[in-house]
Amino acid sequence: MEEFIKWFLENWNANIFTLFTVLLSGIISLIISAAYYRKGNRNNLKMSVIHPIISILNDSYSRNNYKKMEKISKEYSVRYFKRKELKKLNTLLETYKEISAYNDIQINADSLFSYFEYKLKKEGIDPKPFPIEYEGEVVATQYPPDLFYLSEDLEDALKRYDPDYEVDECEERVISIYESYCKKYYTSKKITYFDDYALKQVLKQSEERKKWDKKFDSVNRAKEEFIKLKIAK
């Protein structure tokens, strides 16, 4: 041991240089290995997650496509996303989930239901005249029994008559439904419908439609930001 130490000290410069060279070589090898490892993981991420999701985004919005995206998002390689990239994926999934429940006929029916309420209120009629009591006190009011079937009847009318191409027929059927429910639950008084707003205006400008338009704007932004990720190119 003493002889080794003596030899090492006598050849200090050469030995230090050799030691430094070996250490540097080892560090460079580790860096190169880590770089290749990272590149391989990122390539796997692109193939197993990024590209499949973009392929789905090129298709129409649907519940089935959301389920596919959700399944892909649970792939093992998702852990190789950068923090900002993962945040954009999660935003995309959240906004897509909301829009995947979209049903155009149902939204239009909800809009027509709201318009019916609006017309009743203009005539001084309370759409929710039935009290809800708790411990002898009125805590809220509710719609008349079975009024919720109004939405189903409106959906049936919209399925039968397309409001974009059969406006008059659709409007006539909707008015007939309004009059039937109004007479049954509220009043026999004649109420004029669609004199202030046309049927198409009601469908396009309702609060329900505006709410869904905002949801579509959100998912479209999330979609664009995800596709623009550097790793997605």
Side-chain angles (χ1 to χ4, degrees), residues 4-217:
F4 173 78
I5 295 173
K6 182 179 179 181
W7 169 82
F8 187 86
L9 293 174
E10 288 176 350
N11 299 276
W12 173 263
N13 291 335
N15 289 332
I16 288 298
F17 178 77
T18 300
L19 181 61
F20 175 77
T21 302
V22 171
L23 289 173
L24 181 61
S25 177
I27 292 171
I28 292 174
S29 295
L30 287 174
I31 292 173
I32 293 174
S33 296
Y36 274 107
Y37 181 73
R38 182 177 181 278
K39 183 178 180 180
N41 290 334
R42 295 283 283 178
N43 284 336
N44 187 43
L45 175 63
K46 290 178 68 172
M47 297 304 296
S48 62
V49 177
I50 301 291
H51 290 171
I53 287 180
I54 290 178
S55 178
I56 292 172
L57 292 176
N58 289 329
D59 197 0
S60 58
Y61 295 122
S62 70
R63 189 66 180 173
N64 187 49
N65 279 339
Y66 168 72
K67 289 181 179 179
K68 290 179 182 178
M69 288 174 56
E70 185 182 33
K71 183 177 180 180
I72 292 170
S73 70
K74 295 177 181 177
E75 288 280 341
Y76 179 84
S77 57
V78 166
R79 66 179 59 197
Y80 302 119
F81 266 121
K82 296 178 181 178
R83 183 176 297 178
K84 290 184 178 180
E85 295 171 342
L86 185 58
K87 185 177 180 180
K88 292 186 184 298
L89 173 62
N90 289 333
T91 300
L92 175 63
L93 290 172
E94 289 171 7
T95 54
Y96 197 108
K97 182 179 182 180
E98 286 196 57
I99 215 69
S100 67
Y102 176 79
N103 182 307
D104 191 63
I105 289 179
Q106 185 179 357
I107 300 306
N108 284 339
D110 289 342
S111 299
L112 291 173
F113 188 103
S114 296
Y115 178 72
F116 179 63
E117 283 190 288
Y118 159 76
K119 295 298 287 188
L120 289 175
K121 290 177 181 178
K122 283 197 70 176
E123 295 295 326
I125 300 171
D126 182 5
K128 300 180 179 180
F130 288 80
I132 300 175
E133 296 185 3
Y134 178 74
E135 295 184 349
E137 294 185 8
V138 176
V139 295
T141 56
Q142 63 183 350
Y143 294 107
D146 298 333
L147 184 68
F148 290 102
Y149 289 118
L150 172 59
S151 292
E152 293 184 8
D153 287 344
L154 291 172
E155 284 187 35
D156 289 339
L158 292 165
K159 290 175 183 176
R160 184 173 180 181
Y161 301 108
D162 190 323
D164 289 324
Y165 302 101
E166 300 170 287
V167 183
D168 293 338
E169 294 86 345
C170 186
E171 183 177 304
E172 183 179 343
R173 179 57 185 151
V174 169
I175 290 175
S176 176
I177 294 171
Y178 282 164
E179 289 177 342
S180 175
Y181 277 86
C182 186
K183 184 177 181 179
K184 184 176 181 180
Y185 295 112
Y186 299 107
T187 180
S188 297
K189 178 183 176 181
K190 178 69 175 179
I191 297 177
T192 303
Y193 302 98
F194 303 115
D195 56 328
D196 45 2
Y197 299 100
L199 175 65
K200 284 190 175 182
Q201 284 181 295
V202 172
L203 299 181
K204 291 181 179 180
Q205 299 176 14
S206 70
E207 290 303 315
E208 282 296 317
R209 179 61 60 184
K210 290 177 182 178
K211 181 179 71 175
W212 280 96
D213 285 344
K214 289 180 180 179
K215 290 183 179 182
F216 272 106
D217 288 341

